[in-house]
C-alpha cells in the first residue's frame, strides 16, 4: 500500500480562537484527489485555509510528506503546495500572463528574474487551461470565469506536489469545467499531483474523487471513497434536502414531483421518457409510468417525478398481474403518452399496453 502523503491528526480549525470543527482526520496518498462536500457554511473553506496556513490551527497536527506542515519554511511550502481560493487578488496594471508568472516566484530567488525555462512553464500552463489568447489582457478587465482559468494556470505553473482548490469550477461553464477536471485528473496520474478541494457539483465529486470528506453541521460526518458516500438517502441527509431529490446512483437532481391523482400515463423505457417526465413536472401535471425495468435509464427520473411507477426487477418476466395493474392505472388517466416507436423482444408487455391505450382512444405518441 502506498504511504500517506498528506494526513491530519485530530485537527481542530476555527476563527479567532473559536473552534468550528474538531477532530478532523483525513489522509491521501500521492496522486489522489480528496474532495470536500457539504452545505454552505459547514466549514469546508475553513479547513482549506487552515491547511494552507492562512488560519492558525486550534489543535492537532497536519503532515505533508511526513513533515509537520506548520513548521515548514514558507518558500519550501510554496514549492510543494499551490492554492486557488475564491478571494480576489490585487492586480493593478497586471496582465493575465503577469498573474500566471507569479506562480514561478518560489523558484526565482530574491530578485524574481524569470528564466527561459520559467517562461516555458508559464506558456505551457496557460495553454493547458486554454487562456493563451488572454495573455496580454488586463487581469481586472476579463470575466470571472476567465479569471478563474488564469488562477488555475498560476497554480499549475507553480508545479506543486499538492494543490488546494476552493470551488475551482464556480465560474466555469460546462466546457471548461470538464476540461479542467480532465487536466487535474491527468496531472494526478502523470505527475502524482495530490489534490484537496471543495466542490458543489456532486456529480463531478463522485466521478473524480478518490476520497470524499463530508462536513455536516460543523463536524466531519463521513470520510471514505465515493462508493461509501453516494449511498441511497445519504446526500439528501447531508444537505438536509426538503424539496426535490438527488439520486445517488445516477447523480441526477430532480425538482419536486407534482402531487395529486395521475392525469397522464406514460409508456417509456431505454431513456425515451425523461424529457416527457420533466415536461409534465414543469407543467405541474401528475403522472404514472410503467412498466419499467428497475435498471432502465428512465427509472431514476420516473421514481423521482411520477406519482406511481410500475416496475419489474432486471431481466424479470413481466406477469399478467403486472400488466393488469398497469391497465388499471391507465383507466384512471384521461391520456396515455407512448415515448416508444418500437418494442424489443423483452418489452412486449409495453407493446400490449400501447395497443390497449390505442383501443381506448387515449394514446398520444411522442416524439
Amino acid at each position: 500500500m502506498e504511504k500517506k502523503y498528506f494526513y491530519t491528526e485530530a485537527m481542530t480549525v476555527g476563527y479567532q480562537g473559536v473552534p468550528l470543527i474538531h477532530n478532523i482526520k483525513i489522509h491521501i496518498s500521492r496522486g489522489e484527489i480528496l474532495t470536500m462536500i457539504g452545505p454552505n457554511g459547514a466549514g469546508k473553506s475553513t479547513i482549506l485555509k487552515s491547511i494552507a496556513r492562512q488560519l492558525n490551527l486550534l489543535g492537532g497536527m497536519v503532515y505533508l510528506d511526513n513533515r509537520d506542515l506548520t513548521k515548514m519554511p514558507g518558500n519550501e511550502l510554496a514549492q510543494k503546495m499551490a492554492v486557488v481560493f475564491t478571494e480576489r487578488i490585487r492586480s493593478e496594471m497586471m496582465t493575465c500572463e503577469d498573474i500566471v508568472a507569479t506562480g514561478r516566484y518560489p523558484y526565482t530567488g530574491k530578485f524574481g528574474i524569470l528564466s527561459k525555462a520559467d517562461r516555458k512553464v508559464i506558456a505551457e500552463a496557460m495553454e493547458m487551461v486554454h487562456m493563451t489568447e488572454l495573455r496580454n489582457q488586463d487581469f481586472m478587465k476579463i470575466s470571472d470565469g476567465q479569471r478563474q482559468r488564469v488562477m488555475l494556470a498560476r497554480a499549475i505553473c507553480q508545479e506543486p506536489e499538492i494543490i488546494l482548490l476552493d470551488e475551482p469550477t464556480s465560474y466555469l461553464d460546462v466546457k471548461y469545467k470538464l476540461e479542467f477536471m480532465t487536466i487535474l485528473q491527468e496531472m494526478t496520474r502523470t505527475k502524482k499531483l495530490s489534490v484537496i478541494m471543495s466542490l458543489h457539483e456532486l456529480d463531478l465529486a463522485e466521478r473524480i474523487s478518490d476520497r470524499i470528506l463530508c462536513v455536516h453541521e460543523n463536524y466531519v460526518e463521513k470520510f471514505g471513497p465515493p462508493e461509501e458516500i453516494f449511498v441511497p438517502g445519504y446526500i439528501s441527509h447531508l444537505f438536509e434536502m426538503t424539496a426535490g431529490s438527488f439520486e445517488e446512483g445516477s447523480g441526477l437532481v430532480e425538482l419536486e414531483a407534482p402531487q395529486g391523482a395521475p392525469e397522464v400515463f406514460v409508456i417509456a423505457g431505454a431513456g425515451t421518457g425523461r424529457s416527457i417526465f420533466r415536461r409534465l413536472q414543469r407543467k405541474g401535471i401528475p403522472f404514472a409510468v410503467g412498466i419499467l425495468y428497475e435498471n432502465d435509464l428512465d427509472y431514476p427520473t420516473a421514481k423521482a417525478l411520477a406519482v406511481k411507477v410500475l416496475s419489474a426487477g432486471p431481466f424479470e418476466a413481466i406477469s399478467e398481474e403486472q400488466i393488469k395493474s398497469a391497465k388499471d392505472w391507465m383507466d384512471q388517466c384521461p391520456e396515455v403518452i407512448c415515448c416508444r416507436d418500437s418494442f424489443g423482444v423483452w418489452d412486449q408487455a409495453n407493446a400490449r399496453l400501447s395497443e390497449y391505450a390505442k383501443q381506448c382512444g387515449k394514446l398520444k405518441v411522442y416524439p
Side-chain angles (χ1 to χ4, degrees):
M1 181 180 293
E2 190 172 0
K3 69 177 183 179
K4 300 172 186 175
Y5 175 67
F6 171 91
Y7 62 99
T8 67
E9 292 183 352
M11 181 172 72
T12 298
V13 302
Y15 288 92
Q16 299 177 340
V18 180
L20 178 63
I21 308 174
H22 296 269
N23 197 32
I24 303 167
K25 296 179 181 178
I26 54 179
H27 61 87
I28 54 172
S29 300
R30 285 184 182 273
E32 286 191 334
I33 296 176
L34 164 61
T35 302
M36 294 187 289
I37 63 173
N40 289 333
K44 302 183 297 295
S45 295
T46 305
I47 294 173
L48 285 170
K49 289 176 181 178
S50 300
I51 294 170
R53 299 201 323 199
Q54 293 183 6
L55 293 173
N56 292 327
L57 292 180
L58 301 185
M61 304 291 289
V62 180
Y63 293 96
L64 184 64
D65 204 13
N66 288 319
R67 295 175 59 191
D68 184 347
L69 184 144
T70 63
K71 296 179 180 177
M72 190 174 292
N75 194 63
E76 182 181 356
L77 180 62
Q79 293 181 9
K80 288 182 173 290
M81 178 185 289
V83 176
V84 179
F85 289 169
T86 54
E87 289 85 353
R88 298 293 178 88
I89 64 171
R90 306 179 104 186
S91 58
E92 291 81 0
M93 306 298 291
M94 294 181 73
T95 66
C96 294
E97 185 173 18
D98 293 335
I99 296 294
V100 176
T102 61
R104 295 305 300 166
Y105 288 164
Y107 303 93
T108 58
K110 60 183 179 180
F111 296 111
I113 299 173
L114 297 169
S115 67
K116 287 184 178 180
D118 291 323
R119 292 290 182 188
K120 181 180 179 183
V121 173
I122 293 165
E124 289 174 350
M126 289 190 294
E127 184 177 354
M128 195 174 290
V129 299
H130 305 283
M131 57 145 292
T132 303
E133 73 281 2
L134 302 175
R135 62 189 307 164
N136 295 319
Q137 293 193 35
D138 187 329
F139 180 73
M140 298 305 296
K141 294 181 179 179
I142 60 177
S143 70
D144 285 337
Q146 290 171 327
R147 284 196 195 105
Q148 190 76 336
R149 285 161 53 201
V150 171
M151 297 308 295
L152 296 173
R154 177 177 179 260
I156 292 169
C157 178
Q158 201 170 323
E159 296 186 306
E161 295 177 8
I162 185 169
I163 185 170
L164 308 184
L165 303 156
D166 192 7
E167 299 297 341
T169 58
S170 294
Y171 300 107
L172 302 179
D173 62 30
V174 65
K175 166 184 166 67
Y176 289 115
K177 281 181 184 182
L178 293 175
E179 285 186 357
F180 175 67
M181 287 300 173
T182 300
I183 291 164
L184 208 60
Q185 192 174 66
E186 182 65 20
M187 290 179 71
T188 63
R189 292 170 179 166
T190 60
K191 298 186 177 182
K192 289 296 180 181
L193 175 72
S194 301
V195 177
I196 302 176
M197 64 179 169
S198 62
L199 277 182
H200 280 307
E201 293 95 337
L202 298 177
D203 52 343
L204 290 178
E206 182 178 11
R207 285 157 176 74
I208 199 171
S209 307
D210 296 290
R211 304 179 196 278
I212 293 180
L213 180 77
C214 303
V215 187
H216 184 221
E217 296 182 348
N218 305 123
Y219 69 97
V220 173
E221 188 171 80
K222 276 192 174 189
F223 174 68
E227 55 268 24
E228 293 180 6
I229 305 300
F230 289 88
V231 295
Y234 178 68
I235 296 300
S236 295
H237 156 76
L238 177 64
F239 287 89
E240 300 177 352
M241 295 172 62
T242 57
S245 64
F246 177 86
E247 206 283 319
E248 284 84 0
S250 62
L252 290 175
V253 176
E254 300 293 352
L255 296 174
E256 196 164 6
Q259 300 300 308
E263 300 173 20
V264 177
F265 189 96
V266 183
I267 301 170
T272 61
R274 287 174 292 188
S275 62
I276 297 298
F277 303 157
R278 290 170 183 150
R279 184 185 304 177
L280 292 169
Q281 188 277 338
R282 289 194 297 271
K283 293 181 178 180
I285 299 173
F287 62 95
V289 181
I291 300 172
L292 287 176
Y293 286 107
E294 291 170 4
N295 62 343
D296 192 276
L297 292 172
D298 280 334
Y299 183 74
T301 308
K303 188 178 177 183
L305 298 181
V307 173
K308 175 69 176 179
V309 181
L310 295 103
S311 63
F315 310 111
E316 286 183 2
I318 295 175
S319 67
E320 291 298 323
E321 183 178 352
Q322 288 172 306
I323 294 173
K324 181 181 182 303
S325 178
K327 288 180 177 179
D328 289 341
W329 280 93
M330 269 189 193
D331 291 340
Q332 300 174 45
C333 298
E335 182 178 322
V336 177
I337 295 175
C338 182
C339 306
R340 310 284 298 274
D341 56 10
S342 62
F343 298 92
V345 174
W346 290 96
D347 211 11
Q348 289 306 299
N350 280 322
R352 288 171 58 185
L353 293 178
S354 178
E355 183 60 31
Y356 177 75
K358 185 177 181 180
Q359 291 171 3
C360 295
K362 296 182 177 183
L363 184 66
K364 290 182 70 174
V365 179
Y366 281 83

